[in-house]
mmCIF file of all heavy atoms in Angstrom:
data_model
loop_
_atom_site.group_PDB
_atom_site.id
_atom_site.type_symbol
_atom_site.label_atom_id
_atom_site.label_comp_id
_atom_site.label_asym_id
_atom_site.label_seq_id
_atom_site.Cartn_x
_atom_site.Cartn_y
_atom_site.Cartn_z
ATOM 1 N N GLN X 101 -122.655 191.705 203.543
ATOM 2 C CA GLN X 101 -122.874 190.513 202.723
ATOM 3 C C GLN X 101 -121.923 190.516 201.528
ATOM 4 O O GLN X 101 -121.340 189.488 201.175
ATOM 5 C CB GLN X 101 -124.336 190.443 202.263
ATOM 6 C CG GLN X 101 -124.645 189.321 201.310
ATOM 7 C CD GLN X 101 -124.638 187.952 201.968
ATOM 8 O OE1 GLN X 101 -124.505 187.820 203.172
ATOM 9 N NE2 GLN X 101 -124.772 186.930 201.156
ATOM 10 N N THR X 102 -121.740 191.670 200.913
ATOM 11 C CA THR X 102 -120.808 191.792 199.790
ATOM 12 C C THR X 102 -119.389 191.487 200.242
ATOM 13 O O THR X 102 -118.663 190.736 199.578
ATOM 14 C CB THR X 102 -120.885 193.205 199.183
ATOM 15 O OG1 THR X 102 -122.216 193.433 198.729
ATOM 16 C CG2 THR X 102 -119.903 193.380 198.038
ATOM 17 N N LEU X 103 -118.974 192.054 201.365
ATOM 18 C CA LEU X 103 -117.622 191.806 201.872
ATOM 19 C C LEU X 103 -117.400 190.322 202.153
ATOM 20 O O LEU X 103 -116.356 189.771 201.810
ATOM 21 C CB LEU X 103 -117.371 192.616 203.145
ATOM 22 C CG LEU X 103 -117.353 194.131 202.988
ATOM 23 C CD1 LEU X 103 -117.257 194.795 204.357
ATOM 24 C CD2 LEU X 103 -116.222 194.579 202.081
ATOM 25 N N VAL X 104 -118.378 189.685 202.763
ATOM 26 C CA VAL X 104 -118.246 188.276 203.123
ATOM 27 C C VAL X 104 -118.213 187.395 201.872
ATOM 28 O O VAL X 104 -117.349 186.523 201.732
ATOM 29 C CB VAL X 104 -119.392 187.843 204.067
ATOM 30 C CG1 VAL X 104 -119.449 186.335 204.237
ATOM 31 C CG2 VAL X 104 -119.235 188.525 205.416
ATOM 32 N N MET X 105 -119.126 187.605 200.949
ATOM 33 C CA MET X 105 -119.234 186.725 199.791
ATOM 34 C C MET X 105 -118.119 186.936 198.773
ATOM 35 O O MET X 105 -117.829 186.047 197.988
ATOM 36 C CB MET X 105 -120.599 186.871 199.122
ATOM 37 C CG MET X 105 -121.751 186.448 200.032
ATOM 38 S SD MET X 105 -121.503 184.866 200.878
ATOM 39 C CE MET X 105 -121.504 183.728 199.514
ATOM 40 N N THR X 106 -117.479 188.105 198.780
ATOM 41 C CA THR X 106 -116.364 188.343 197.868
ATOM 42 C C THR X 106 -115.027 188.152 198.578
ATOM 43 O O THR X 106 -113.984 188.366 197.971
ATOM 44 C CB THR X 106 -116.424 189.759 197.269
ATOM 45 O OG1 THR X 106 -116.354 190.717 198.327
ATOM 46 C CG2 THR X 106 -117.682 189.957 196.449
ATOM 47 N N ASP X 107 -115.063 187.777 199.861
ATOM 48 C CA ASP X 107 -113.859 187.584 200.663
ATOM 49 C C ASP X 107 -113.010 188.851 200.701
ATOM 50 O O ASP X 107 -111.788 188.796 200.729
ATOM 51 C CB ASP X 107 -113.039 186.388 200.166
ATOM 52 C CG ASP X 107 -111.992 185.935 201.184
ATOM 53 O OD1 ASP X 107 -112.172 186.218 202.388
ATOM 54 O OD2 ASP X 107 -110.998 185.315 200.780
ATOM 55 N N ALA X 108 -113.666 189.998 200.686
ATOM 56 C CA ALA X 108 -112.968 191.284 200.735
ATOM 57 C C ALA X 108 -112.877 191.755 202.189
ATOM 58 O O ALA X 108 -113.337 192.826 202.536
ATOM 59 C CB ALA X 108 -113.701 192.317 199.878
ATOM 60 N N LEU X 109 -112.300 190.925 203.040
ATOM 61 C CA LEU X 109 -112.289 191.233 204.460
ATOM 62 C C LEU X 109 -110.995 191.886 204.937
ATOM 63 O O LEU X 109 -110.931 192.372 206.056
ATOM 64 C CB LEU X 109 -112.578 189.971 205.276
ATOM 65 C CG LEU X 109 -113.961 189.360 205.000
ATOM 66 C CD1 LEU X 109 -114.124 188.050 205.759
ATOM 67 C CD2 LEU X 109 -115.063 190.336 205.360
ATOM 68 N N SER X 110 -109.957 191.901 204.109
ATOM 69 C CA SER X 110 -108.755 192.618 204.519
ATOM 70 C C SER X 110 -109.086 194.110 204.496
ATOM 71 O O SER X 110 -109.992 194.558 203.800
ATOM 72 C CB SER X 110 -107.587 192.320 203.588
ATOM 73 O OG SER X 110 -107.755 193.003 202.353
ATOM 74 N N THR X 111 -108.333 194.895 205.247
ATOM 75 C CA THR X 111 -108.626 196.323 205.363
ATOM 76 C C THR X 111 -108.634 197.012 204.008
ATOM 77 O O THR X 111 -109.554 197.775 203.693
ATOM 78 C CB THR X 111 -107.598 196.996 206.296
ATOM 79 O OG1 THR X 111 -107.632 196.323 207.551
ATOM 80 C CG2 THR X 111 -107.909 198.462 206.501
ATOM 81 N N LEU X 112 -107.635 196.745 203.173
ATOM 82 C CA LEU X 112 -107.555 197.400 201.867
ATOM 83 C C LEU X 112 -108.717 196.988 200.966
ATOM 84 O O LEU X 112 -109.360 197.826 200.336
ATOM 85 C CB LEU X 112 -106.218 197.077 201.186
ATOM 86 C CG LEU X 112 -105.997 197.731 199.830
ATOM 87 C CD1 LEU X 112 -106.069 199.255 199.942
ATOM 88 C CD2 LEU X 112 -104.651 197.313 199.263
#
Side-chain angles (χ1 to χ4, degrees):
Q101 175 72 6
T102 300
L103 294 173
V104 169
M105 297 313 294
T106 60
D107 195 23
L109 298 175
S110 75
T111 303
L112 182 59

